[in-house]
Amino acid sequence: MDFLRPASWEEALAAKAEHPTAVPIAGGTDVMVEINFDHRRPEYLLDLNRIELLREWEVGEENVRLGASVPYTQIMENLRAELPGLALASHTVASPQIRNRGGVGGNLGTASPAGDAHPALLAAGAEVEVESQARGSRFIPIDEFYTGVKRNALQPDELIKTVHIKKADGPQQYSKVGTRNAMVIAVCAFGLALHPETRTVRTGIGSAAPTPIRAKEAENFLNAALEEGGFWESGKIITPSIAKQFADLCSGAANPIDDVRGTAKYRRHAVGIMARRQLGWTWEQYRGAGRTLEGAA
Ligand SMILES: Cc1cc2nc3c(=O)[nH]c(=O)nc-3n(C[C@H](O)[C@H](O)[C@H](O)COP(=O)(O)OP(=O)(O)OC[C@H]3O[C@@H](n4cnc5c(N)ncnc54)[C@H](O)[C@@H]3O)c2cc1C
């Protein structure tokens, strides 16, 4: 196995163009497991650790530009206000050691349906910037990034450069069901983001379908119900029947399998529970923020 160590982004793109089968390695928390278990024996490893720009982030007016290799710990410590859903999801990844190494680019590269970043990225609204030497960069909307079980939209000569994520304009939540509190692969996971500026909600479901998905029917239902009922202006409590219908539609969007971690029936049920709870938590936060502003006025 040859080890390629580009010193710059341009060198990395050139190496990937020359060796499209080369396997990029960032934190190595997925790649090294696969190599150690002999699930993968690539001809070339492409080490991205000398490329500074992959470990940088920038907070802009509307978006955060998150370098592909920014470790989860940095997201938790520095981007909690801008990306609360992703920060909460980062907190649930493995252990401090893994969170110091692993990042969102690696999670996207692996594209496991159980990856914790995915529901938060889907709910917040993200675009993945990928680049190749031959064709330059292109932006892939997160909804189009996951193409199958552990498959993504990357071409063999492309690398993930940056993830562009909308800054939170309202409350966000993330939760994960597992057999214990740390070092656990999700049995299923759910992320929710309220976007008061556009009066919309977005969801993300993990580990309950072949790919991470949004519950679009549930979003459409809730968007219409909140609009028709004047909930965004009044901040009034969401009725139990709306919350139940939303939860049922989220549960129905899941398309899980039975496996060692849980049954399909349990996963569907748990997705509904998480959806209802998160709607309650985020809406309370939204109402609370409204009341504080009114009180201050
Ligand atoms: C003990 C343990 C516990 C874990 N627990 C969790 C957990 O709770 N939740 C969770 O989501 N994950 C978990 N993981 C998996 C892993 O930590 C995450 O998927 C992490 O985000 C991977 O990031 P990385 O930088 O280490 O990726 P790497 O292992 O370096 O790479 C992962 C994949 O992405 C590709 N890749 C990396 N960077 C790029 C790039 N810039 N462009 C193109 N392709 C790229 C690699 O080629 C590879 O296919 C765990 C892993 C271990 C070992």
Side-chain angles (χ1 to χ4, degrees), residues 118-135:
H118 312 312
L121 295 178
L122 285 163
E127 281 190 319
V128 185
E129 184 181 358
V130 304
E131 195 168 329
S132 68
Q133 189 185 46
R135 296 176 308 283

mmCIF file with all atom_site columns, all heavy atoms in Angstrom, residues 118-135:
data_model
loop_
_atom_site.group_PDB
_atom_site.id
_atom_site.type_symbol
_atom_site.label_atom_id
_atom_site.label_alt_id
_atom_site.label_comp_id
_atom_site.label_asym_id
_atom_site.label_entity_id
_atom_site.label_seq_id
_atom_site.pdbx_PDB_ins_code
_atom_site.Cartn_x
_atom_site.Cartn_y
_atom_site.Cartn_z
_atom_site.occupancy
_atom_site.B_iso_or_equiv
_atom_site.pdbx_formal_charge
_atom_site.auth_seq_id
_atom_site.auth_comp_id
_atom_site.auth_asym_id
_atom_site.auth_atom_id
_atom_site.pdbx_PDB_model_num
ATOM 1   N N   . HIS A 1 118 ? -25.458 13.359 9.555   1.00 0.00 ? 118 HIS A N   1
ATOM 2   C CA  . HIS A 1 118 ? -26.402 13.468 8.424   1.00 0.00 ? 118 HIS A CA  1
ATOM 3   C C   . HIS A 1 118 ? -27.771 14.068 8.773   1.00 0.00 ? 118 HIS A C   1
ATOM 4   O O   . HIS A 1 118 ? -28.221 14.975 8.067   1.00 0.00 ? 118 HIS A O   1
ATOM 5   C CB  . HIS A 1 118 ? -26.568 12.112 7.732   1.00 0.00 ? 118 HIS A CB  1
ATOM 6   C CG  . HIS A 1 118 ? -25.276 11.420 7.436   1.00 0.00 ? 118 HIS A CG  1
ATOM 7   N ND1 . HIS A 1 118 ? -24.226 12.066 6.828   1.00 0.00 ? 118 HIS A ND1 1
ATOM 8   C CD2 . HIS A 1 118 ? -24.857 10.162 7.675   1.00 0.00 ? 118 HIS A CD2 1
ATOM 9   C CE1 . HIS A 1 118 ? -23.205 11.221 6.704   1.00 0.00 ? 118 HIS A CE1 1
ATOM 10  N NE2 . HIS A 1 118 ? -23.564 10.067 7.216   1.00 0.00 ? 118 HIS A NE2 1
ATOM 11  N N   . PRO A 1 119 ? -28.460 13.574 9.822   1.00 0.00 ? 119 PRO A N   1
ATOM 12  C CA  . PRO A 1 119 ? -29.777 14.177 10.104  1.00 0.00 ? 119 PRO A CA  1
ATOM 13  C C   . PRO A 1 119 ? -29.680 15.671 10.384  1.00 0.00 ? 119 PRO A C   1
ATOM 14  O O   . PRO A 1 119 ? -30.548 16.448 9.967   1.00 0.00 ? 119 PRO A O   1
ATOM 15  C CB  . PRO A 1 119 ? -30.258 13.403 11.345  1.00 0.00 ? 119 PRO A CB  1
ATOM 16  C CG  . PRO A 1 119 ? -29.521 12.104 11.300  1.00 0.00 ? 119 PRO A CG  1
ATOM 17  C CD  . PRO A 1 119 ? -28.169 12.431 10.729  1.00 0.00 ? 119 PRO A CD  1
ATOM 18  N N   . ALA A 1 120 ? -28.597 16.077 11.072  1.00 0.00 ? 120 ALA A N   1
ATOM 19  C CA  . ALA A 1 120 ? -28.438 17.506 11.390  1.00 0.00 ? 120 ALA A CA  1
ATOM 20  C C   . ALA A 1 120 ? -28.186 18.312 10.115  1.00 0.00 ? 120 ALA A C   1
ATOM 21  O O   . ALA A 1 120 ? -28.702 19.424 9.960   1.00 0.00 ? 120 ALA A O   1
ATOM 22  C CB  . ALA A 1 120 ? -27.296 17.691 12.384  1.00 0.00 ? 120 ALA A CB  1
ATOM 23  N N   . LEU A 1 121 ? -27.392 17.761 9.198   1.00 0.00 ? 121 LEU A N   1
ATOM 24  C CA  . LEU A 1 121 ? -27.118 18.468 7.930   1.00 0.00 ? 121 LEU A CA  1
ATOM 25  C C   . LEU A 1 121 ? -28.388 18.574 7.095   1.00 0.00 ? 121 LEU A C   1
ATOM 26  O O   . LEU A 1 121 ? -28.647 19.598 6.454   1.00 0.00 ? 121 LEU A O   1
ATOM 27  C CB  . LEU A 1 121 ? -26.031 17.736 7.132   1.00 0.00 ? 121 LEU A CB  1
ATOM 28  C CG  . LEU A 1 121 ? -24.631 17.678 7.759   1.00 0.00 ? 121 LEU A CG  1
ATOM 29  C CD1 . LEU A 1 121 ? -23.687 16.876 6.860   1.00 0.00 ? 121 LEU A CD1 1
ATOM 30  C CD2 . LEU A 1 121 ? -24.065 19.073 7.990   1.00 0.00 ? 121 LEU A CD2 1
ATOM 31  N N   . LEU A 1 122 ? -29.179 17.505 7.069   1.00 0.00 ? 122 LEU A N   1
ATOM 32  C CA  . LEU A 1 122 ? -30.431 17.523 6.303   1.00 0.00 ? 122 LEU A CA  1
ATOM 33  C C   . LEU A 1 122 ? -31.398 18.553 6.882   1.00 0.00 ? 122 LEU A C   1
ATOM 34  O O   . LEU A 1 122 ? -32.051 19.296 6.140   1.00 0.00 ? 122 LEU A O   1
ATOM 35  C CB  . LEU A 1 122 ? -31.077 16.126 6.332   1.00 0.00 ? 122 LEU A CB  1
ATOM 36  C CG  . LEU A 1 122 ? -30.425 15.066 5.438   1.00 0.00 ? 122 LEU A CG  1
ATOM 37  C CD1 . LEU A 1 122 ? -30.869 13.655 5.855   1.00 0.00 ? 122 LEU A CD1 1
ATOM 38  C CD2 . LEU A 1 122 ? -30.774 15.295 3.968   1.00 0.00 ? 122 LEU A CD2 1
ATOM 39  N N   . ALA A 1 123 ? -31.488 18.593 8.214   1.00 0.00 ? 123 ALA A N   1
ATOM 40  C CA  . ALA A 1 123 ? -32.452 19.500 8.850   1.00 0.00 ? 123 ALA A CA  1
ATOM 41  C C   . ALA A 1 123 ? -32.016 20.966 8.702   1.00 0.00 ? 123 ALA A C   1
ATOM 42  O O   . ALA A 1 123 ? -32.846 21.842 8.486   1.00 0.00 ? 123 ALA A O   1
ATOM 43  C CB  . ALA A 1 123 ? -32.620 19.135 10.327  1.00 0.00 ? 123 ALA A CB  1
ATOM 44  N N   . ALA A 1 124 ? -30.712 21.210 8.830   1.00 0.00 ? 124 ALA A N   1
ATOM 45  C CA  . ALA A 1 124 ? -30.236 22.596 8.755   1.00 0.00 ? 124 ALA A CA  1
ATOM 46  C C   . ALA A 1 124 ? -30.269 23.110 7.320   1.00 0.00 ? 124 ALA A C   1
ATOM 47  O O   . ALA A 1 124 ? -30.473 24.285 7.070   1.00 0.00 ? 124 ALA A O   1
ATOM 48  C CB  . ALA A 1 124 ? -28.823 22.694 9.315   1.00 0.00 ? 124 ALA A CB  1
ATOM 49  N N   . GLY A 1 125 ? -30.039 22.212 6.358   1.00 0.00 ? 125 GLY A N   1
ATOM 50  C CA  . GLY A 1 125 ? -29.932 22.604 4.951   1.00 0.00 ? 125 GLY A CA  1
ATOM 51  C C   . GLY A 1 125 ? -28.471 22.851 4.646   1.00 0.00 ? 125 GLY A C   1
ATOM 52  O O   . GLY A 1 125 ? -27.913 23.884 5.031   1.00 0.00 ? 125 GLY A O   1
ATOM 53  N N   . ALA A 1 126 ? -27.820 21.897 3.993   1.00 0.00 ? 126 ALA A N   1
ATOM 54  C CA  . ALA A 1 126 ? -26.379 22.013 3.733   1.00 0.00 ? 126 ALA A CA  1
ATOM 55  C C   . ALA A 1 126 ? -26.107 21.732 2.268   1.00 0.00 ? 126 ALA A C   1
ATOM 56  O O   . ALA A 1 126 ? -26.930 21.122 1.568   1.00 0.00 ? 126 ALA A O   1
ATOM 57  C CB  . ALA A 1 126 ? -25.618 21.005 4.607   1.00 0.00 ? 126 ALA A CB  1
ATOM 58  N N   . GLU A 1 127 ? -24.953 22.201 1.823   1.00 0.00 ? 127 GLU A N   1
ATOM 59  C CA  . GLU A 1 127 ? -24.460 21.854 0.488   1.00 0.00 ? 127 GLU A CA  1
ATOM 60  C C   . GLU A 1 127 ? -23.024 21.390 0.647   1.00 0.00 ? 127 GLU A C   1
ATOM 61  O O   . GLU A 1 127 ? -22.256 22.003 1.400   1.00 0.00 ? 127 GLU A O   1
ATOM 62  C CB  . GLU A 1 127 ? -24.492 23.066 -0.430  1.00 0.00 ? 127 GLU A CB  1
ATOM 63  C CG  . GLU A 1 127 ? -25.867 23.368 -0.986  1.00 0.00 ? 127 GLU A CG  1
ATOM 64  C CD  . GLU A 1 127 ? -25.802 24.420 -2.088  1.00 0.00 ? 127 GLU A CD  1
ATOM 65  O OE1 . GLU A 1 127 ? -25.042 25.393 -1.931  1.00 0.00 ? 127 GLU A OE1 1
ATOM 66  O OE2 . GLU A 1 127 ? -26.496 24.250 -3.090  1.00 0.00 ? 127 GLU A OE2 1
ATOM 67  N N   . VAL A 1 128 ? -22.683 20.342 -0.075  1.00 0.00 ? 128 VAL A N   1
ATOM 68  C CA  . VAL A 1 128 ? -21.335 19.796 0.026   1.00 0.00 ? 128 VAL A CA  1
ATOM 69  C C   . VAL A 1 128 ? -20.550 20.275 -1.189  1.00 0.00 ? 128 VAL A C   1
ATOM 70  O O   . VAL A 1 128 ? -20.947 20.033 -2.335  1.00 0.00 ? 128 VAL A O   1
ATOM 71  C CB  . VAL A 1 128 ? -21.377 18.243 0.054   1.00 0.00 ? 128 VAL A CB  1
ATOM 72  C CG1 . VAL A 1 128 ? -19.972 17.689 0.297   1.00 0.00 ? 128 VAL A CG1 1
ATOM 73  C CG2 . VAL A 1 128 ? -22.347 17.741 1.119   1.00 0.00 ? 128 VAL A CG2 1
ATOM 74  N N   . GLU A 1 129 ? -19.442 20.985 -0.916  1.00 0.00 ? 129 GLU A N   1
ATOM 75  C CA  . GLU A 1 129 ? -18.593 21.467 -2.018  1.00 0.00 ? 129 GLU A CA  1
ATOM 76  C C   . GLU A 1 129 ? -17.508 20.428 -2.277  1.00 0.00 ? 129 GLU A C   1
ATOM 77  O O   . GLU A 1 129 ? -16.703 20.125 -1.388  1.00 0.00 ? 129 GLU A O   1
ATOM 78  C CB  . GLU A 1 129 ? -17.954 22.814 -1.654  1.00 0.00 ? 129 GLU A CB  1
ATOM 79  C CG  . GLU A 1 129 ? -17.159 23.391 -2.810  1.00 0.00 ? 129 GLU A CG  1
ATOM 80  C CD  . GLU A 1 129 ? -16.498 24.729 -2.469  1.00 0.00 ? 129 GLU A CD  1
ATOM 81  O OE1 . GLU A 1 129 ? -16.680 25.234 -1.348  1.00 0.00 ? 129 GLU A OE1 1
ATOM 82  O OE2 . GLU A 1 129 ? -15.774 25.231 -3.343  1.00 0.00 ? 129 GLU A OE2 1
ATOM 83  N N   . VAL A 1 130 ? -17.522 19.880 -3.475  1.00 0.00 ? 130 VAL A N   1
ATOM 84  C CA  . VAL A 1 130 ? -16.516 18.876 -3.844  1.00 0.00 ? 130 VAL A CA  1
ATOM 85  C C   . VAL A 1 130 ? -15.715 19.436 -5.017  1.00 0.00 ? 130 VAL A C   1
ATOM 86  O O   . VAL A 1 130 ? -16.188 20.318 -5.738  1.00 0.00 ? 130 VAL A O   1
ATOM 87  C CB  . VAL A 1 130 ? -17.165 17.514 -4.220  1.00 0.00 ? 130 VAL A CB  1
ATOM 88  C CG1 . VAL A 1 130 ? -18.031 16.996 -3.087  1.00 0.00 ? 130 VAL A CG1 1
ATOM 89  C CG2 . VAL A 1 130 ? -17.979 17.621 -5.493  1.00 0.00 ? 130 VAL A CG2 1
ATOM 90  N N   . GLU A 1 131 ? -14.502 18.931 -5.192  1.00 0.00 ? 131 GLU A N   1
ATOM 91  C CA  . GLU A 1 131 ? -13.659 19.491 -6.241  1.00 0.00 ? 131 GLU A CA  1
ATOM 92  C C   . GLU A 1 131 ? -12.826 18.394 -6.888  1.00 0.00 ? 131 GLU A C   1
ATOM 93  O O   . GLU A 1 131 ? -12.441 17.417 -6.241  1.00 0.00 ? 131 GLU A O   1
ATOM 94  C CB  . GLU A 1 131 ? -12.739 20.567 -5.632  1.00 0.00 ? 131 GLU A CB  1
ATOM 95  C CG  . GLU A 1 131 ? -12.091 21.451 -6.671  1.00 0.00 ? 131 GLU A CG  1
ATOM 96  C CD  . GLU A 1 131 ? -11.428 22.691 -6.067  1.00 0.00 ? 131 GLU A CD  1
ATOM 97  O OE1 . GLU A 1 131 ? -11.907 23.195 -5.030  1.00 0.00 ? 131 GLU A OE1 1
ATOM 98  O OE2 . GLU A 1 131 ? -10.423 23.131 -6.642  1.00 0.00 ? 131 GLU A OE2 1
ATOM 99  N N   . SER A 1 132 ? -12.579 18.578 -8.182  1.00 0.00 ? 132 SER A N   1
ATOM 100 C CA  . SER A 1 132 ? -11.647 17.704 -8.902  1.00 0.00 ? 132 SER A CA  1
ATOM 101 C C   . SER A 1 132 ? -10.700 18.595 -9.686  1.00 0.00 ? 132 SER A C   1
ATOM 102 O O   . SER A 1 132 ? -11.031 19.751 -9.996  1.00 0.00 ? 132 SER A O   1
ATOM 103 C CB  . SER A 1 132 ? -12.397 16.772 -9.860  1.00 0.00 ? 132 SER A CB  1
ATOM 104 O OG  . SER A 1 132 ? -12.960 17.536 -10.911 1.00 0.00 ? 132 SER A OG  1
ATOM 105 N N   . GLN A 1 133 ? -9.538  18.039 -10.014 1.00 0.00 ? 133 GLN A N   1
ATOM 106 C CA  . GLN A 1 133 ? -8.575  18.834 -10.793 1.00 0.00 ? 133 GLN A CA  1
ATOM 107 C C   . GLN A 1 133 ? -9.137  19.138 -12.185 1.00 0.00 ? 133 GLN A C   1
ATOM 108 O O   . GLN A 1 133 ? -8.996  20.238 -12.696 1.00 0.00 ? 133 GLN A O   1
ATOM 109 C CB  . GLN A 1 133 ? -7.265  18.061 -10.910 1.00 0.00 ? 133 GLN A CB  1
ATOM 110 C CG  . GLN A 1 133 ? -6.147  18.873 -11.504 1.00 0.00 ? 133 GLN A CG  1
ATOM 111 C CD  . GLN A 1 133 ? -4.892  18.050 -11.713 1.00 0.00 ? 133 GLN A CD  1
ATOM 112 O OE1 . GLN A 1 133 ? -4.944  16.931 -12.229 1.00 0.00 ? 133 GLN A OE1 1
ATOM 113 N NE2 . GLN A 1 133 ? -3.761  18.593 -11.314 1.00 0.00 ? 133 GLN A NE2 1
ATOM 114 N N   . ALA A 1 134 ? -9.830  18.162 -12.770 1.00 0.00 ? 134 ALA A N   1
ATOM 115 C CA  . ALA A 1 134 ? -10.284 18.308 -14.153 1.00 0.00 ? 134 ALA A CA  1
ATOM 116 C C   . ALA A 1 134 ? -11.456 19.275 -14.302 1.00 0.00 ? 134 ALA A C   1
ATOM 117 O O   . ALA A 1 134 ? -11.512 20.042 -15.261 1.00 0.00 ? 134 ALA A O   1
ATOM 118 C CB  . ALA A 1 134 ? -10.684 16.945 -14.714 1.00 0.00 ? 134 ALA A CB  1
ATOM 119 N N   . ARG A 1 135 ? -12.408 19.242 -13.342 1.00 0.00 ? 135 ARG A N   1
ATOM 120 C CA  . ARG A 1 135 ? -13.655 19.994 -13.548 1.00 0.00 ? 135 ARG A CA  1
ATOM 121 C C   . ARG A 1 135 ? -13.875 21.110 -12.525 1.00 0.00 ? 135 ARG A C   1
ATOM 122 O O   . ARG A 1 135 ? -14.921 21.750 -12.528 1.00 0.00 ? 135 ARG A O   1
ATOM 123 C CB  . ARG A 1 135 ? -14.841 19.018 -13.519 1.00 0.00 ? 135 ARG A CB  1
ATOM 124 C CG  . ARG A 1 135 ? -14.824 17.998 -14.650 1.00 0.00 ? 135 ARG A CG  1
ATOM 125 C CD  . ARG A 1 135 ? -15.946 16.986 -14.532 1.00 0.00 ? 135 ARG A CD  1
ATOM 126 N NE  . ARG A 1 135 ? -15.994 16.357 -13.223 1.00 0.00 ? 135 ARG A NE  1
ATOM 127 C CZ  . ARG A 1 135 ? -15.158 15.402 -12.821 1.00 0.00 ? 135 ARG A CZ  1
ATOM 128 N NH1 . ARG A 1 135 ? -14.215 14.960 -13.625 1.00 0.00 ? 135 ARG A NH1 1
ATOM 129 N NH2 . ARG A 1 135 ? -15.259 14.892 -11.617 1.00 0.00 ? 135 ARG A NH2 1
#
